Amino acid sequence: MRILLEREYWPTSTHGRISVNDRWVCHTLEAPKIPGCPKKSCLPEGSYLLGKEDQLPLLTLQKSPKGEFVGVVCAQKGLEVDMPQTIIPVQSILSEGRGTKPTMAFGRLLNALGIANSAGETLRLEIRSCPDKALNLAFCETAWMD
């Protein structure tokens, strides 16, 4: 199963879209990328193991099976990005850092993961920059500019 989050970086937030097996599931909102401040920033690009918390409506993210939790995927009621290391699924993006229907989008994501993972395999989320929107990376990383 392929779970992919493709991102666009903006000055005040990070926007993305999650697809499962090349099928769009939902949009996402995250904190902005802040160079040199990993605790206040969105998660770094890379591959993360997804885990489901039984008591809470969230998915956990880990770098390795026995590694510590590095972030979460959850439905946030406030509809604005204010928690670093958190991916908020939303149905649509209204403006920079604002989205709609996070509970519905989170439910769609859980449903897509459940259907795609009927074989019981390990779930892994791949986070990367959206190749169509690569130019907006210059907002965050001055090292990428000439």
Side-chain angles (χ1 to χ4, degrees), residues 34-90:
I34 304 171
C37 297
K39 295 286 186 198
K40 295 181 181 180
S41 189
C42 59
L43 289 163
E45 292 183 11
S47 183
Y48 297 89
L49 293 172
L50 278 169
K52 175 71 177 96
E53 285 295 312
D54 293 331
Q55 304 300 320
L56 300 171
L58 59 85
L59 297 168
T60 57
L61 298 167
Q62 297 173 263
K63 285 302 272 180
S64 64
K66 294 187 180 182
E68 64 182 51
F69 296 111
V70 295
V72 296
V73 179
C74 67
Q76 180 181 341
K77 299 277 187 204
L79 298 182
E80 289 193 36
V81 177
D82 61 0
M83 294 187 308
Q85 311 292 303
T86 302
I87 300 169
I88 303 166
V90 292

Side-chain angles (χ1 to χ4, degrees), residues 75-141:
Q76 180 181 341
K77 299 277 187 204
L79 298 182
E80 289 193 36
V81 177
D82 61 0
M83 294 187 308
Q85 311 292 303
T86 302
I87 300 169
I88 303 166
V90 292
Q91 192 64 28
S92 63
I93 295 175
L94 296 173
S95 62
E96 194 172 325
R98 292 184 32 88
T100 64
K101 302 179 182 173
T103 305
M104 182 158 94
F106 186 71
R108 281 178 52 103
L109 177 60
L110 290 179
N111 188 43
L113 294 175
I115 291 169
N117 192 35
S118 57
E121 62 188 289
T122 301
L123 299 175
R124 187 170 287 279
L125 173 68
E126 183 72 30
I127 301 175
R128 68 179 188 196
S129 298
C130 181
D132 298 340
K133 309 290 183 182
L135 291 178
N136 69 21
L137 296 174
F139 281 115
C140 302
E141 290 287 341

Side-chain angles (χ1 to χ4, degrees), residues 24-40:
W24 176 82
V25 175
C26 61
H27 294 282
T28 62
L29 295 174
E30 298 176 72
K33 183 171 181 159
I34 304 171
C37 297
K39 295 286 186 198
K40 295 181 181 180

